[in-house]
Amino acid sequence: MSNLLYHVIRTIIRFDEDSSGATRDVDILGTFTDLAAAKAAANVGLASEGYIKSDFELYEQKSELPAGEEWKRGDGVLVFAKAPAGQQFEVGLETEVNAAGFKGNTQGEVEGFLHYVLQTTINYNTDRTGSSQLTQVEGTFPTRALAFSAALTTLLDDEVTKDSFAEYDVKADFVGEWPYGEDCLVHAVGQTGENFVVRVKAQPHSHKGHKKACKHDDDCGLTDASMLYDTKQ
């Protein structure tokens, strides 16, 4: 059993909706106990969601970089792509301690319907638009209930309590309309202005959450290409 888990993490920066780059969709496409298998999965991560290279006006893959050429997309990014409507796609790896003892199959992938606790830290001191942000995997669980329970204490420990934050809101206790999104369970503001968002998300299935993502409608059986392409007249 591997002591580490390697998550294939896909981020869509929604420049089509928000020119600052602060609006993002982050999902874990797969989890592995073998690093080589995780890298291979990341390289085909967009394809696993139904995209093809011709969907993008720019598509770059670190493993295909010519010898001697510098990769400019960041150490953790293995695939970088831009869609015609402006969305920016990044696929990379996130490493986590295998605390739950998950086992990989013969291909090194952890099977089953996994649920993830994701923490996004937004540093408004660096950029007031909110585009300076980092999302990390804080836990992997076999059930949604376990993930929900863990999410409620992700920001807390023996030394850090709710009172340590300038603001600390839990969705289940919030009065009125929850303003932080359906997946967000906890939102907090640090004493120095950082915002923390804790979400629980499951692995997406190919096309189910991205029915607007392909331009190759004949191949996908889809009729709406409005995600990647600006269809406004």
Side-chain angles (χ1 to χ4, degrees):
M1 180 186 71
S2 172
N3 293 324
L4 296 175
L5 295 175
Y6 305 98
H7 305 292
V8 177
I9 185 167
R10 187 265 297 124
T11 302
I12 304 175
I13 305 176
R14 300 301 304 269
F15 287 113
D16 57 319
E17 297 180 355
D18 179 359
S19 61
S20 74
T23 302
R24 306 183 182 191
D25 299 330
V26 180
D27 286 289
I28 307 299
L29 304 185
T31 295
F32 297 80
T33 56
D34 180 79
L35 178 57
K39 288 182 176 180
N43 286 336
V44 296
L46 295 180
S48 74
E49 293 195 283
Y51 301 104
I52 58 176
K53 289 185 178 181
S54 61
D55 284 329
F56 305 101
E57 62 181 19
L58 176 65
Y59 186 98
E60 300 174 353
Q61 188 170 309
K62 188 175 183 180
S63 63
E64 297 177 347
L65 197 68
E69 186 173 328
E70 181 184 0
W71 178 250
K72 300 178 180 179
R73 303 304 182 183
D75 292 338
V77 178
L78 299 181
V79 174
F80 177 91
K82 283 186 177 181
Q87 303 92 333
Q88 181 172 299
F89 292 69
E90 297 177 358
V91 183
L93 297 182
E94 172 87 11
T95 303
E96 178 196 1
V97 174
N98 189 5
F102 288 105
K103 296 180 179 180
N105 59 19
T106 55
Q107 287 77 44
E109 183 172 10
V110 178
E111 297 180 316
F113 194 60
L114 302 177
H115 301 265
Y116 303 93
V117 176
L118 303 180
Q119 177 185 317
T120 299
T121 303
I122 307 171
N123 192 338
Y124 285 106
N125 292 326
T126 301
D127 190 327
R128 294 301 300 169
T129 67
S131 62
S132 176
Q133 57 180 268
L134 175 67
T135 297
Q136 296 174 295
V137 180
E138 294 294 337
T140 304
F141 301 90
T143 68
R144 189 168 179 83
L146 288 173
F148 266 56
S149 179
L152 296 178
T153 59
T154 292
L155 298 177
L156 309 175
D157 57 30
D158 292 339
E159 297 182 356
V160 180
T161 68
K162 294 180 181 180
D163 292 334
S164 302
F165 297 90
E167 298 178 21
Y168 192 97
D169 294 307
V170 178
K171 184 179 182 180
D173 302 328
F174 194 80
V175 177
E177 184 177 354
W178 180 248
Y180 303 114
E182 181 180 355
D183 296 320
C184 176
L185 299 185
V186 177
H187 177 272
V189 179
Q191 297 293 346
T192 55
E194 301 95 336
N195 278 228
F196 303 92
V197 179
V198 181
R199 298 182 174 91
V200 169
K201 301 197 76 173
Q203 284 176 302
H205 291 291
S206 177
H207 284 311
K208 287 188 176 180
H210 302 274
K211 289 185 177 181
K212 297 180 180 180
C214 297
K215 77 169 186 178
H216 49 291
D217 301 337
D218 292 340
D219 296 333
C220 301
L222 307 176
T223 58
D224 190 344
S226 62
M227 181 178 174
L228 290 185
Y229 285 81
D230 187 355
T231 57
K232 295 178 182 179
Q233 300 297 322

